[in-house]
Amino acid sequence: MLRQIGRNLGASTFLNPLYWVREKLVPTVRPKQSQEDVDAGKKQAAEEGKQSVFEAAVAAPAPRQPEVAPGAPGSAVSKAKSLYIFKKAPKPRPSSHKYSTANFKISHRKLNMLGRQIAGKPIDHAILQMQFSEKRASSRIMNMLATARDHAVRYKRLNEPKLVVGMLAVLLPILPDAHRVAAEAWVSKGPNTGKRLEPRGRGHTGVQRHPNSKLTVVLKEGKTVEEKKKDDRERRIRKIVSASATREDKPIRNPSPTWGW
């Protein structure tokens, strides 16, 4: 039989191993099956229980949904109402912006003096104070204030001419409720404090501590300089009492030590 196959295919083709590879592994054109053959194969697979998961899901009848009254919970109307009720409210417009420096080598007492210098001032005046300050940390604070002003205007949409640095309060980590009593701007100690030995007399040694701290500010929209001047002028005018013939209920402030004639 092998001789007959060799005569039909030829000796070179029959003995060549590439023939088997070409016959078994090389992709060939698959003969197209007719619709009758496909239906017969599906029917036979269904009878033998070898049907695919997708065909079984398609062939299975869909579960019937129970009828729901229009106003009952679970109906389309109730779902629409629930979506309307639980719709998220729009986020409120931010009213402040918090920013801080990184921890750098400075005592919290020295940094607190700079914080008190800019507390309660408009942001432009605070930057101007730091620009002409002779303190070593003033340049770092000035850059921080400029960055905080830019972020407050760009990301929080705050009004730049009305930005005011919040009032100052010292925040130390030794306080148990420090994070709750903090005000609009605060100075805090850093987490790490470098220590070195300090030689002293008579063979004694001390400990040198190199503290680090940071300054945090909160920018809010407040009154501009012109508005403050206007309010101060109106307050001064309200204090003035005219020297009329009739007696007024308001007392005279800063009376003259002598008679006024």
Side-chain angles (χ1 to χ4, degrees):
M1 184 176 180
L2 293 177
R3 290 180 181 178
Q4 185 66 26
I5 295 173
R7 291 194 189 111
N8 296 336
L9 298 177
S12 60
T13 307
F14 178 72
L15 298 177
N16 191 357
L18 295 178
Y19 173 75
W20 182 88
V21 175
R22 188 183 302 111
E23 183 181 359
K24 299 296 183 180
L25 302 180
V26 173
T28 57
V29 179
R30 185 177 180 181
K32 187 176 181 180
Q33 294 181 351
S34 61
Q35 188 64 28
E36 291 78 6
D37 298 340
V38 174
D39 296 340
K42 289 182 179 181
K43 186 176 180 181
Q44 183 179 1
E47 291 176 356
E48 295 177 0
K50 299 180 180 180
Q51 196 175 11
S52 65
V53 179
F54 302 102
E55 294 178 356
V58 172
R64 186 179 179 183
Q65 296 293 339
E67 296 182 359
V68 183
S75 61
V77 178
S78 63
K79 289 181 180 179
K81 288 183 178 179
S82 62
L83 291 175
Y84 178 75
I85 293 173
F86 295 102
K87 185 178 180 181
K88 290 185 178 180
K91 292 184 179 180
R93 179 175 174 269
S95 59
S96 62
H97 179 64
K98 179 182 175 182
Y99 202 74
S100 66
T101 61
N103 288 316
F104 62 101
K105 185 180 177 181
I106 189 174
S107 173
H108 65 276
R109 295 184 177 89
K110 297 178 181 178
L111 189 59
N112 190 30
M113 291 189 291
L114 292 177
R116 293 184 183 277
Q117 188 176 353
I118 64 175
K121 288 184 172 59
I123 185 64
D124 295 334
H125 287 213
I127 293 175
L128 195 63
Q129 290 287 334
M130 294 295 101
Q131 183 178 357
F132 292 98
S133 177
E134 296 181 357
K135 300 294 184 180
R136 177 174 58 89
S138 60
S139 59
R140 188 187 293 262
I141 303 300
M142 181 186 66
N143 295 333
M144 184 268 291
L145 291 175
T147 306
R149 177 185 60 182
D150 183 48
H151 288 184
V153 175
R154 181 178 301 178
Y155 301 128
K156 301 296 182 65
R157 304 298 181 186
L158 299 179
N159 192 3
E160 182 177 355
K162 291 188 175 183
L163 287 180
V164 178
V165 182
M167 299 304 293
L168 184 72
V170 182
L171 176 65
L172 302 180
I174 57 176
L175 299 176
D177 298 335
H179 60 284
R180 281 178 283 184
V181 301
E184 302 300 327
W186 59 92
V187 177
S188 58
K189 288 182 179 179
N192 301 322
T193 303
K195 295 181 181 179
R196 291 182 183 179
L197 291 179
E198 181 183 8
R200 308 296 292 270
R202 296 174 179 261
H204 296 282
T205 57
V207 178
Q208 274 187 349
R209 292 179 173 84
H210 301 274
N212 51 10
S213 56
K214 67 177 181 178
L215 175 68
T216 306
V217 297
V218 176
L219 303 183
K220 291 185 177 181
E221 291 183 356
K223 295 182 179 180
T224 60
V225 179
E226 290 76 12
E227 293 176 352
K228 288 184 178 180
K229 288 182 180 179
K230 184 180 178 181
D231 295 344
D232 185 61
R233 183 174 180 276
E234 292 178 356
R235 182 177 57 84
R236 290 175 181 273
I237 291 175
R238 284 196 303 267
K239 287 184 178 181
I240 297 176
V241 179
S242 61
S244 59
T246 59
R247 183 173 179 177
E248 298 180 355
D249 296 336
K250 295 182 180 180
I252 299 177
R253 267 84 171 182
N254 300 326
S256 177
T258 58
W259 296 98
W261 55 62

